[in-house]
């Protein structure tokens, strides 16, 4: 079975631009979460979606948004990019987003903002 | 605010040395604790988890961790490390509802031959 897949793997953008990152969960998983991992730090929770509904949101500005599609894939959008948005963006999927549902992480998208 | 802290940011060991990585959490409610590993160029993988029961948890690849509630700690141990254990290790906790994870800052482990 395919694991969590993320695209693109690497991306370079300029300050002020917009970016869309994509995630396909493991087949059968209905929940997707997004994390930001800045160099030298642990991943930080951005969003969780379950059945197309937002289940949780971390402490990130409104420039960050996400959505989940009927096929359970997800997009993370970031507007008005700042240099500080440079990070590895991780997607994780689980069956139902509950505590007893293990999280499976993708390899991430490396975003560089110049 | 809930937090997870890891004391060692960089650890260098020789093969066959014993390993202990510290992790402390601050959260007054029910805590579910995890250790994840990230090998170079690979995705985060679950090493082990604690939900309830026996506070000594055994995971994959010979790793174990002990939950000590009175110390708010969940330290990771391995009796004898191998070169292939070179990786970054993250302690994490579910805090609050759902399976949202709060991660520590990570420990970069380098095992030398």
């Amino acid at each position: 079975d395919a694991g969590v897949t993320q695209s693109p793997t690497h991306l370079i953008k300029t300050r002020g631009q917009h970016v869309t990152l994509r995630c396909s969960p493991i087949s059968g998983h209905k929940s997707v979460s997004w994390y930001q991992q800045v160099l030298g730090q642990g991943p930080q929770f951005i969003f969780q979606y379950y059945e197309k509904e937002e289940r949780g949101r971390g402490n990130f500005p409104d420039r960050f948004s996400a959505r989940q599609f009927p096929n359970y894939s997800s997009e993370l959008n970031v507007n008005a990019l700042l240099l500080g948005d440079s990070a590895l963006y991780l997607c994780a999927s689980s069956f139902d987003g509950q505590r007893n549902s293990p999280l499976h992480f993708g390899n991430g998208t490396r975003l560089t903002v110049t | 605010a809930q937090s997870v802290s890891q004391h060692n940011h960089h650890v260098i060991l020789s093969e066959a040395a014993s390993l202990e990585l510290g992790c402390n959490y601050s959260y007054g409610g029910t805590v579910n604790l995890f250790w994840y590993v990230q090998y170079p160029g690979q995705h985060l993988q679950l090493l082990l988890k604690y939900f309830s029961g026996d506070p000594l948890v055994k995971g994959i690849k010979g790793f174990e961790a002990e939950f000590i509630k009175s110390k708010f700690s969940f330290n990771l141990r391995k009796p004898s490390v191998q070169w292939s254990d070179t990786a970054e290790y993250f302690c994490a906790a579910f805090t609050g509802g759902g399976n949202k994870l709060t991660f520590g800052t990570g420990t970069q482990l380098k095992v030398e031959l």
Side-chain angles (χ1 to χ4, degrees):
Chain A
D1 280 342
V4 177
T5 57
Q6 293 186 242
S7 62
T9 54
H10 295 82
L11 201 52
I12 300 174
K13 290 284 190 179
T14 304
R15 274 177 298 176
Q17 285 188 316
H18 161 91
V19 69
T20 297
L21 310 181
R22 295 178 174 83
C23 172
S24 293
I26 289 173
S27 178
H29 284 189
K30 301 178 181 179
S31 177
V32 168
S33 299
W34 288 95
Y35 288 79
Q36 181 196 62
Q37 187 177 6
V38 173
L39 198 61
Q41 296 183 22
Q44 283 202 303
F45 172 77
I46 311 175
F47 286 109
Q48 184 187 46
Y49 277 78
Y50 174 68
E51 291 280 15
K52 305 184 292 295
E53 298 289 327
E54 184 181 301
R55 273 276 189 87
R57 184 186 182 112
N59 189 23
F60 280 81
D62 291 344
R63 300 184 296 107
F64 287 76
S65 64
R67 55 181 175 167
Q68 187 177 31
F69 299 100
N71 67 353
Y72 303 111
S73 68
S74 178
E75 282 182 354
L76 175 69
N77 296 284
V78 187
N79 292 324
L81 284 167
L82 303 174
L83 293 178
D85 295 330
S86 295
L88 180 67
Y89 287 85
L90 299 171
C91 176
S93 76
S94 66
F95 175 67
D96 61 6
Q98 296 303 311
R99 286 193 170 214
N100 58 356
S101 284
L103 279 167
H104 298 261
F105 285 87
N107 285 345
T109 294
R110 174 76 60 189
L111 172 65
T112 302
V113 182
T114 62
Chain B
Q2 302 94 339
S3 66
V4 176
S5 59
Q6 294 180 241
H7 319 299
N8 318 98
H9 297 293
H10 292 90
V11 173
I12 300 174
L13 295 173
S14 299
E15 265 205 331
S18 64
L19 169 73
E20 181 160 4
L21 301 182
C23 172
N24 286 91
Y25 65 91
S26 67
Y27 184 65
T30 301
V31 175
N32 304 130
L33 297 160
F34 305 80
W35 277 97
Y36 281 85
V37 61
Q38 191 170 33
Y39 298 104
Q42 295 188 28
H43 59 271
L44 278 165
Q45 298 175 40
L46 180 65
L47 272 179
L48 48 79
K49 61 183 178 183
Y50 172 79
F51 271 46
S52 64
D54 189 344
L56 185 61
V57 181
K58 294 194 183 298
I60 61 171
K61 306 187 181 191
F63 286 92
E64 64 178 32
E66 186 174 12
F67 171 60
I68 304 180
K69 190 175 181 179
S70 61
K71 295 185 178 180
F72 297 89
S73 71
F74 189 57
N75 292 354
L76 181 71
R77 300 194 293 247
K78 186 171 184 178
S80 175
V81 294
Q82 300 172 310
W83 177 80
S84 58
D85 292 325
T86 294
E88 189 155 21
Y89 292 81
F90 293 95
C91 183
F94 284 158
T95 51
N99 61 3
K100 166 196 163 187
L101 280 169
T102 298
F103 285 86
T105 51
T107 297
Q108 190 71 245
L109 171 66
K110 182 179 180 182
V111 180
E112 296 178 332
L113 295 170

